[in-house]
Amino acid sequence: MIDSAWVYENGWQILMLLVDHFQLVGLSLFIGAVATALMVLMVLWQPSLSRPLIYISGVLFTIPSLALFILLMPLTGLSKTTSIIGLSAYSLLIILQNALAGFDNTPTEILEEARALGYTRFQRFVSVELPLAMPTIVAGLRTTAVTLIGMVTVTAVIGQGGLGQLFITGLTLDFSTPVIVSLILTVAIALFFDFAFYIAGKYLFPWER
């Protein structure tokens, strides 16, 4: 099923596409996390913004990926920027929902104790609410990372799909080896990110075991 000679001859290209896949996922996840952090701060400042922000993130998430990339192309062209903006937009809903759920689940008695100890609003956020919400936030990042890994392949239609380029090559040439290699490596990346976040959560938040 796999032509080992083709894999050997194209090993460097496959490696570059693998690195590109990692970069697209990593940058999109980072930008999505930063954007979500800003939205969470807005919600903490004005709780009534929670529903509108979730609604907007949900609308972005429901837009078909190919359609979103095509809409962005007149502004950013056939570039990595188009891919990263689109993928970052898709990351918002999952991270935001998890982050807000983490803060909402902070026990009221703990917040009352912090107030009784004289903690300011900022001190409560940094010392109490954020640490307690972090396991849920990391779980959201973990789910989002795995989701983005699959979505990156769609950006191959604009020439920026990481391992998705191998799908295009395989379908164009009616040759199964690039498709199989792309599938195996995509699953491997997903397992890597999933395991990395699992280990991070296990050691950073031992009270969640």
Side-chain angles (χ1 to χ4, degrees):
M1 293 180 65
I2 296 181
D3 186 338
S4 56
W6 182 91
V7 175
Y8 178 78
E9 291 172 2
N10 295 274
W12 182 252
Q13 180 189 5
I14 294 171
L15 178 61
M16 290 298 98
L17 292 175
L18 180 64
V19 171
D20 192 45
H21 209 104
F22 264 101
Q23 289 177 338
L24 287 169
V25 173
L27 283 172
S28 301
L29 188 63
F30 175 76
I31 293 171
V34 171
T36 302
L38 294 175
M39 289 192 287
V40 168
L41 291 175
M42 291 170 62
V43 170
L44 293 175
W45 170 68
Q46 186 61 258
S48 62
L49 292 173
S50 174
R51 192 176 295 248
L53 289 175
I54 290 177
Y55 178 78
I56 293 170
S57 301
V59 169
L60 290 172
F61 192 80
T62 58
I63 298 175
S65 53
L66 184 57
L68 181 58
F69 294 135
I70 291 174
L71 288 173
L72 289 171
M73 279 169 50
L75 300 174
T76 52
L78 297 172
S79 64
K80 269 189 179 179
T81 302
T82 301
S83 301
I84 291 171
I85 292 174
L87 294 169
S88 299
Y90 285 119
S91 73
L92 297 178
L93 180 63
I94 302 174
I95 304 176
L96 181 61
Q97 285 183 326
N98 276 60
L100 294 179
F103 286 109
D104 288 341
N105 291 333
T106 303
T108 304
E109 57 272 19
I110 293 179
L111 295 177
E112 292 299 327
E113 289 178 9
R115 290 191 188 95
L117 291 171
Y119 280 38
T120 64
R121 181 67 186 87
F122 179 75
Q123 288 174 325
R124 289 200 308 273
F125 172 75
V126 173
S127 303
V128 179
E129 295 175 81
L130 185 58
L132 291 176
M134 280 306 296
T136 307
I137 294 172
V138 170
L141 292 171
R142 179 181 178 182
T143 303
T144 304
V146 175
T147 302
L148 291 180
I149 288 164
M151 296 187 73
V152 165
T153 57
V154 179
T155 64
V157 296
I158 62 171
Q160 301 294 332
L163 293 169
Q165 300 285 0
L166 296 178
F167 276 113
I168 301 296
T169 300
L171 291 174
T172 302
L173 300 176
D174 193 23
F175 183 38
S176 64
T177 294
V179 177
I180 295 172
V181 170
S182 178
L183 178 63
I184 291 173
L185 291 179
T186 300
V187 171
I189 295 175
L191 292 174
F192 170 82
F193 271 93
D194 188 65
F195 185 70
F197 277 107
Y198 168 75
I199 293 297
K202 181 177 179 181
Y203 286 98
L204 291 176
F205 319 116
W207 60 88
E208 288 291 314
R209 294 178 186 176

